Amino acid sequence: MDIMEIAEKSRDSANVKRVFGDPVRHGDVVVIPVARIAYGGGGGTGQGEDKKGDSGSGSGVGYGVAATPAGVFVVKDGEVRWQPAVDVNRIVAGGQIVAVVLLLTLRAVFKRRRRRRH
């Protein structure tokens, strides 16, 4: 796969259909899903000789796309409302970080009290 082929595929993947999903109608409510899209790419090349005198060569290329739900637009009675997606994993991770910091702080406080008593 050459660099032009990868560039063409990346251009095709970066369109508005990746961010906004197809509208879903239920009665008088229309819901439009929205996603966060992240793209990344790389490249490479090479030539030359190594220290042993062997001829060198090289190549490389890479591309990636990641999508996560951001939320939905809810259209009802001519009004649009944004409803963000809840990332439960992020909430749990945040709670774990707070718990660890709290436990380390309590440990430091108890150690200091113990040292003052002796």
Side-chain angles (χ1 to χ4, degrees), residues 10-46:
S10 68
R11 185 178 61 90
D12 290 342
S13 68
N15 62 34
V16 73
K17 282 298 216 180
R18 297 267 185 202
V19 176
F20 297 100
D22 293 328
V24 178
R25 180 179 295 274
H26 185 69
D28 63 341
V29 177
V30 178
V31 177
I32 303 169
V34 181
R36 285 186 196 95
I37 308 295
Y39 298 96
T45 188

mmCIF file of all heavy atoms in Angstrom, residues 10-46:
data_model
loop_
_atom_site.group_PDB
_atom_site.id
_atom_site.type_symbol
_atom_site.label_atom_id
_atom_site.label_comp_id
_atom_site.label_asym_id
_atom_site.label_seq_id
_atom_site.Cartn_x
_atom_site.Cartn_y
_atom_site.Cartn_z
ATOM 1 N N SER A 10 -7.862 7.793 4.068
ATOM 2 C CA SER A 10 -8.062 8.668 5.221
ATOM 3 C C SER A 10 -9.015 9.798 4.879
ATOM 4 O O SER A 10 -9.813 10.216 5.707
ATOM 5 C CB SER A 10 -6.723 9.215 5.709
ATOM 6 O OG SER A 10 -6.177 10.101 4.767
ATOM 7 N N ARG A 11 -8.957 10.299 3.669
ATOM 8 C CA ARG A 11 -9.877 11.362 3.251
ATOM 9 C C ARG A 11 -11.305 10.835 3.245
ATOM 10 O O ARG A 11 -12.237 11.520 3.657
ATOM 11 C CB ARG A 11 -9.491 11.884 1.868
ATOM 12 C CG ARG A 11 -10.325 13.063 1.421
ATOM 13 C CD ARG A 11 -9.878 13.569 0.075
ATOM 14 N NE ARG A 11 -10.010 12.559 -0.954
ATOM 15 C CZ ARG A 11 -11.100 12.381 -1.699
ATOM 16 N NH1 ARG A 11 -12.151 13.146 -1.513
ATOM 17 N NH2 ARG A 11 -11.133 11.442 -2.617
ATOM 18 N N ASP A 12 -11.480 9.597 2.797
ATOM 19 C CA ASP A 12 -12.814 9.008 2.777
ATOM 20 C C ASP A 12 -13.363 8.784 4.179
ATOM 21 O O ASP A 12 -14.565 8.850 4.407
ATOM 22 C CB ASP A 12 -12.799 7.675 2.025
ATOM 23 C CG ASP A 12 -12.580 7.855 0.530
ATOM 24 O OD1 ASP A 12 -12.785 8.987 0.043
ATOM 25 O OD2 ASP A 12 -12.193 6.876 -0.128
ATOM 26 N N SER A 13 -12.502 8.500 5.149
ATOM 27 C CA SER A 13 -12.983 8.231 6.504
ATOM 28 C C SER A 13 -13.268 9.510 7.283
ATOM 29 O O SER A 13 -13.941 9.468 8.299
ATOM 30 C CB SER A 13 -11.966 7.386 7.265
ATOM 31 O OG SER A 13 -10.795 8.127 7.508
ATOM 32 N N ALA A 14 -12.779 10.639 6.817
ATOM 33 C CA ALA A 14 -12.977 11.912 7.528
ATOM 34 C C ALA A 14 -14.135 12.682 6.904
ATOM 35 O O ALA A 14 -13.941 13.683 6.242
ATOM 36 C CB ALA A 14 -11.694 12.732 7.480
ATOM 37 N N ASN A 15 -15.351 12.206 7.117
ATOM 38 C CA ASN A 15 -16.504 12.927 6.592
ATOM 39 C C ASN A 15 -17.531 13.145 7.693
ATOM 40 O O ASN A 15 -17.424 12.600 8.785
ATOM 41 C CB ASN A 15 -17.097 12.204 5.379
ATOM 42 C CG ASN A 15 -17.611 10.826 5.717
ATOM 43 O OD1 ASN A 15 -18.109 10.594 6.808
ATOM 44 N ND2 ASN A 15 -17.482 9.903 4.786
ATOM 45 N N VAL A 16 -18.530 13.930 7.386
ATOM 46 C CA VAL A 16 -19.514 14.317 8.395
ATOM 47 C C VAL A 16 -20.345 13.122 8.873
ATOM 48 O O VAL A 16 -20.836 13.121 9.996
ATOM 49 C CB VAL A 16 -20.407 15.454 7.842
ATOM 50 C CG1 VAL A 16 -21.372 14.927 6.803
ATOM 51 C CG2 VAL A 16 -21.147 16.164 8.949
ATOM 52 N N LYS A 17 -20.471 12.074 8.075
ATOM 53 C CA LYS A 17 -21.233 10.902 8.483
ATOM 54 C C LYS A 17 -20.576 10.175 9.645
ATOM 55 O O LYS A 17 -21.219 9.407 10.340
ATOM 56 C CB LYS A 17 -21.393 9.936 7.301
ATOM 57 C CG LYS A 17 -22.452 10.371 6.328
ATOM 58 C CD LYS A 17 -23.781 10.407 7.008
ATOM 59 C CE LYS A 17 -24.860 9.969 6.081
ATOM 60 N NZ LYS A 17 -26.153 9.992 6.725
ATOM 61 N N ARG A 18 -19.277 10.397 9.857
ATOM 62 C CA ARG A 18 -18.599 9.791 11.003
ATOM 63 C C ARG A 18 -18.992 10.506 12.300
ATOM 64 O O ARG A 18 -19.015 9.901 13.350
ATOM 65 C CB ARG A 18 -17.083 9.876 10.843
ATOM 66 C CG ARG A 18 -16.553 9.130 9.692
ATOM 67 C CD ARG A 18 -16.167 7.759 10.128
ATOM 68 N NE ARG A 18 -15.541 7.087 8.998
ATOM 69 C CZ ARG A 18 -15.465 5.806 8.891
ATOM 70 N NH1 ARG A 18 -15.931 5.051 9.829
ATOM 71 N NH2 ARG A 18 -14.914 5.270 7.851
ATOM 72 N N VAL A 19 -19.249 11.784 12.224
ATOM 73 C CA VAL A 19 -19.564 12.573 13.418
ATOM 74 C C VAL A 19 -21.059 12.522 13.724
ATOM 75 O O VAL A 19 -21.456 12.258 14.851
ATOM 76 C CB VAL A 19 -19.094 14.033 13.246
ATOM 77 C CG1 VAL A 19 -19.501 14.871 14.442
ATOM 78 C CG2 VAL A 19 -17.594 14.093 13.041
ATOM 79 N N PHE A 20 -21.886 12.779 12.733
ATOM 80 C CA PHE A 20 -23.330 12.790 12.909
ATOM 81 C C PHE A 20 -23.925 11.525 12.306
ATOM 82 O O PHE A 20 -23.743 11.246 11.130
ATOM 83 C CB PHE A 20 -23.960 14.020 12.244
ATOM 84 C CG PHE A 20 -23.503 15.309 12.844
ATOM 85 C CD1 PHE A 20 -22.513 16.059 12.230
ATOM 86 C CD2 PHE A 20 -24.031 15.763 14.031
ATOM 87 C CE1 PHE A 20 -22.081 17.246 12.783
ATOM 88 C CE2 PHE A 20 -23.610 16.943 14.599
ATOM 89 C CZ PHE A 20 -22.627 17.687 13.973
ATOM 90 N N GLY A 21 -24.650 10.763 13.123
ATOM 91 C CA GLY A 21 -25.292 9.553 12.631
ATOM 92 C C GLY A 21 -26.599 9.873 11.941
ATOM 93 O O GLY A 21 -27.053 11.020 11.886
ATOM 94 N N ASP A 22 -27.236 8.866 11.414
ATOM 95 C CA ASP A 22 -28.534 9.042 10.761
ATOM 96 C C ASP A 22 -29.585 9.404 11.795
ATOM 97 O O ASP A 22 -29.641 8.804 12.872
ATOM 98 C CB ASP A 22 -28.942 7.754 10.041
ATOM 99 C CG ASP A 22 -28.035 7.446 8.867
ATOM 100 O OD1 ASP A 22 -27.546 8.402 8.240
ATOM 101 O OD2 ASP A 22 -27.818 6.256 8.582
ATOM 102 N N PRO A 23 -30.419 10.390 11.495
ATOM 103 C CA PRO A 23 -31.484 10.778 12.433
ATOM 104 C C PRO A 23 -32.458 9.625 12.655
ATOM 105 O O PRO A 23 -32.775 8.870 11.738
ATOM 106 C CB PRO A 23 -32.186 11.937 11.737
ATOM 107 C CG PRO A 23 -31.236 12.420 10.695
ATOM 108 C CD PRO A 23 -30.399 11.242 10.299
ATOM 109 N N VAL A 24 -32.928 9.508 13.889
ATOM 110 C CA VAL A 24 -33.905 8.482 14.260
ATOM 111 C C VAL A 24 -35.177 9.199 14.690
ATOM 112 O O VAL A 24 -35.145 10.058 15.569
ATOM 113 C CB VAL A 24 -33.372 7.596 15.413
ATOM 114 C CG1 VAL A 24 -34.413 6.566 15.817
ATOM 115 C CG2 VAL A 24 -32.069 6.933 15.023
ATOM 116 N N ARG A 25 -36.290 8.851 14.044
ATOM 117 C CA ARG A 25 -37.573 9.494 14.349
ATOM 118 C C ARG A 25 -38.447 8.516 15.122
ATOM 119 O O ARG A 25 -38.576 7.351 14.756
ATOM 120 C CB ARG A 25 -38.265 9.913 13.061
ATOM 121 C CG ARG A 25 -39.601 10.583 13.280
ATOM 122 C CD ARG A 25 -40.240 11.003 11.988
ATOM 123 N NE ARG A 25 -39.489 12.030 11.303
ATOM 124 C CZ ARG A 25 -39.603 13.342 11.531
ATOM 125 N NH1 ARG A 25 -40.425 13.753 12.465
ATOM 126 N NH2 ARG A 25 -38.912 14.206 10.854
ATOM 127 N N HIS A 26 -39.008 9.022 16.222
ATOM 128 C CA HIS A 26 -39.955 8.239 17.014
ATOM 129 C C HIS A 26 -41.092 9.173 17.393
ATOM 130 O O HIS A 26 -40.947 10.010 18.293
ATOM 131 C CB HIS A 26 -39.287 7.652 18.255
ATOM 132 C CG HIS A 26 -40.184 6.736 19.029
ATOM 133 N ND1 HIS A 26 -40.577 5.512 18.563
ATOM 134 C CD2 HIS A 26 -40.777 6.882 20.240
ATOM 135 C CE1 HIS A 26 -41.372 4.938 19.448
ATOM 136 N NE2 HIS A 26 -41.503 5.754 20.475
ATOM 137 N N GLY A 27 -42.200 9.045 16.689
ATOM 138 C CA GLY A 27 -43.316 9.953 16.921
ATOM 139 C C GLY A 27 -42.938 11.353 16.466
ATOM 140 O O GLY A 27 -42.528 11.566 15.325
ATOM 141 N N ASP A 28 -43.060 12.320 17.372
ATOM 142 C CA ASP A 28 -42.718 13.703 17.023
ATOM 143 C C ASP A 28 -41.316 14.082 17.502
ATOM 144 O O ASP A 28 -40.961 15.253 17.501
ATOM 145 C CB ASP A 28 -43.754 14.668 17.603
ATOM 146 C CG ASP A 28 -43.799 14.635 19.122
ATOM 147 O OD1 ASP A 28 -43.310 13.642 19.703
ATOM 148 O OD2 ASP A 28 -44.316 15.596 19.723
ATOM 149 N N VAL A 29 -40.509 13.100 17.900
ATOM 150 C CA VAL A 29 -39.150 13.363 18.389
ATOM 151 C C VAL A 29 -38.145 12.818 17.371
ATOM 152 O O VAL A 29 -38.273 11.700 16.890
ATOM 153 C CB VAL A 29 -38.915 12.686 19.761
ATOM 154 C CG1 VAL A 29 -37.492 12.897 20.239
ATOM 155 C CG2 VAL A 29 -39.905 13.217 20.786
ATOM 156 N N VAL A 30 -37.127 13.639 17.077
ATOM 157 C CA VAL A 30 -36.030 13.219 16.203
ATOM 158 C C VAL A 30 -34.747 13.249 17.031
ATOM 159 O O VAL A 30 -34.456 14.243 17.702
ATOM 160 C CB VAL A 30 -35.890 14.147 14.974
ATOM 161 C CG1 VAL A 30 -34.711 13.718 14.127
ATOM 162 C CG2 VAL A 30 -37.168 14.142 14.166
ATOM 163 N N VAL A 31 -33.989 12.157 16.985
ATOM 164 C CA VAL A 31 -32.732 12.053 17.725
ATOM 165 C C VAL A 31 -31.603 11.913 16.707
ATOM 166 O O VAL A 31 -31.658 11.055 15.822
ATOM 167 C CB VAL A 31 -32.762 10.837 18.679
ATOM 168 C CG1 VAL A 31 -31.429 10.673 19.389
ATOM 169 C CG2 VAL A 31 -33.882 10.982 19.690
ATOM 170 N N ILE A 32 -30.568 12.770 16.850
ATOM 171 C CA ILE A 32 -29.409 12.724 15.956
ATOM 172 C C ILE A 32 -28.184 12.386 16.792
ATOM 173 O O ILE A 32 -27.724 13.203 17.599
ATOM 174 C CB ILE A 32 -29.203 14.081 15.241
ATOM 175 C CG1 ILE A 32 -30.472 14.460 14.483
ATOM 176 C CG2 ILE A 32 -27.994 14.009 14.313
ATOM 177 C CD1 ILE A 32 -30.472 15.889 13.980
ATOM 178 N N PRO A 33 -27.608 11.174 16.622
ATOM 179 C CA PRO A 33 -26.423 10.793 17.400
ATOM 180 C C PRO A 33 -25.177 11.528 16.919
ATOM 181 O O PRO A 33 -25.026 11.814 15.733
ATOM 182 C CB PRO A 33 -26.303 9.284 17.147
ATOM 183 C CG PRO A 33 -27.078 9.016 15.912
ATOM 184 C CD PRO A 33 -28.096 10.091 15.776
ATOM 185 N N VAL A 34 -24.289 11.844 17.875
ATOM 186 C CA VAL A 34 -23.053 12.565 17.588
ATOM 187 C C VAL A 34 -21.890 11.812 18.232
ATOM 188 O O VAL A 34 -22.006 11.304 19.341
ATOM 189 C CB VAL A 34 -23.106 14.006 18.143
ATOM 190 C CG1 VAL A 34 -21.837 14.770 17.819
ATOM 191 C CG2 VAL A 34 -24.324 14.742 17.616
ATOM 192 N N ALA A 35 -20.754 11.750 17.522
ATOM 193 C CA ALA A 35 -19.573 11.057 18.037
ATOM 194 C C ALA A 35 -18.362 11.978 17.998
ATOM 195 O O ALA A 35 -18.294 12.915 17.206
ATOM 196 C CB ALA A 35 -19.298 9.804 17.207
ATOM 197 N N ARG A 36 -17.394 11.700 18.886
ATOM 198 C CA ARG A 36 -16.084 12.355 18.826
ATOM 199 C C ARG A 36 -15.193 11.470 17.976
ATOM 200 O O ARG A 36 -15.080 10.274 18.226
ATOM 201 C CB ARG A 36 -15.471 12.466 20.216
ATOM 202 C CG ARG A 36 -16.073 13.511 21.068
ATOM 203 C CD ARG A 36 -15.279 13.637 22.381
ATOM 204 N NE ARG A 36 -16.080 14.360 23.328
ATOM 205 C CZ ARG A 36 -16.863 13.817 24.253
ATOM 206 N NH1 ARG A 36 -16.903 12.518 24.384
ATOM 207 N NH2 ARG A 36 -17.580 14.561 25.047
ATOM 208 N N ILE A 37 -14.533 12.070 17.016
ATOM 209 C CA ILE A 37 -13.677 11.312 16.108
ATOM 210 C C ILE A 37 -12.241 11.796 16.277
ATOM 211 O O ILE A 37 -11.981 12.992 16.325
ATOM 212 C CB ILE A 37 -14.106 11.507 14.642
ATOM 213 C CG1 ILE A 37 -15.598 11.225 14.460
ATOM 214 C CG2 ILE A 37 -13.269 10.654 13.709
ATOM 215 C CD1 ILE A 37 -16.007 9.816 14.722
ATOM 216 N N ALA A 38 -11.316 10.858 16.375
ATOM 217 C CA ALA A 38 -9.884 11.186 16.456
ATOM 218 C C ALA A 38 -9.155 10.416 15.352
ATOM 219 O O ALA A 38 -9.397 9.221 15.162
ATOM 220 C CB ALA A 38 -9.321 10.811 17.820
ATOM 221 N N TYR A 39 -8.317 11.126 14.629
ATOM 222 C CA TYR A 39 -7.547 10.529 13.544
ATOM 223 C C TYR A 39 -6.070 10.648 13.866
ATOM 224 O O TYR A 39 -5.636 11.603 14.506
ATOM 225 C CB TYR A 39 -7.807 11.261 12.223
ATOM 226 C CG TYR A 39 -9.234 11.205 11.771
ATOM 227 C CD1 TYR A 39 -10.115 12.245 12.047
ATOM 228 C CD2 TYR A 39 -9.705 10.118 11.066
ATOM 229 C CE1 TYR A 39 -11.428 12.198 11.631
ATOM 230 C CE2 TYR A 39 -11.020 10.055 10.645
ATOM 231 C CZ TYR A 39 -11.871 11.100 10.924
ATOM 232 O OH TYR A 39 -13.169 11.044 10.528
ATOM 233 N N GLY A 40 -5.300 9.715 13.397
ATOM 234 C CA GLY A 40 -3.855 9.792 13.573
ATOM 235 C C GLY A 40 -3.158 9.057 12.452
ATOM 236 O O GLY A 40 -3.704 8.146 11.855
ATOM 237 N N GLY A 41 -1.970 9.483 12.152
ATOM 238 C CA GLY A 41 -1.224 8.850 11.071
ATOM 239 C C GLY A 41 0.260 8.880 11.357
ATOM 240 O O GLY A 41 0.733 9.531 12.275
ATOM 241 N N GLY A 42 0.981 8.174 10.555
ATOM 242 C CA GLY A 42 2.426 8.124 10.711
ATOM 243 C C GLY A 42 3.075 7.903 9.361
ATOM 244 O O GLY A 42 2.417 7.868 8.339
ATOM 245 N N GLY A 43 4.340 7.750 9.372
ATOM 246 C CA GLY A 43 5.067 7.544 8.126
ATOM 247 C C GLY A 43 6.440 6.991 8.427
ATOM 248 O O GLY A 43 6.743 6.602 9.542
ATOM 249 N N GLY A 44 7.280 6.981 7.452
ATOM 250 C CA GLY A 44 8.626 6.512 7.680
ATOM 251 C C GLY A 44 9.351 6.300 6.375
ATOM 252 O O GLY A 44 8.768 6.319 5.304
ATOM 253 N N THR A 45 10.616 6.128 6.486
ATOM 254 C CA THR A 45 11.476 5.830 5.348
ATOM 255 C C THR A 45 12.829 5.427 5.894
ATOM 256 O O THR A 45 13.027 5.390 7.102
ATOM 257 C CB THR A 45 11.574 7.027 4.388
ATOM 258 O OG1 THR A 45 12.271 6.625 3.223
ATOM 259 C CG2 THR A 45 12.284 8.192 5.027
ATOM 260 N N GLY A 46 13.752 5.183 5.072
ATOM 261 C CA GLY A 46 15.081 4.840 5.546
ATOM 262 C C GLY A 46 15.976 4.420 4.405
ATOM 263 O O GLY A 46 15.513 4.094 3.321
#
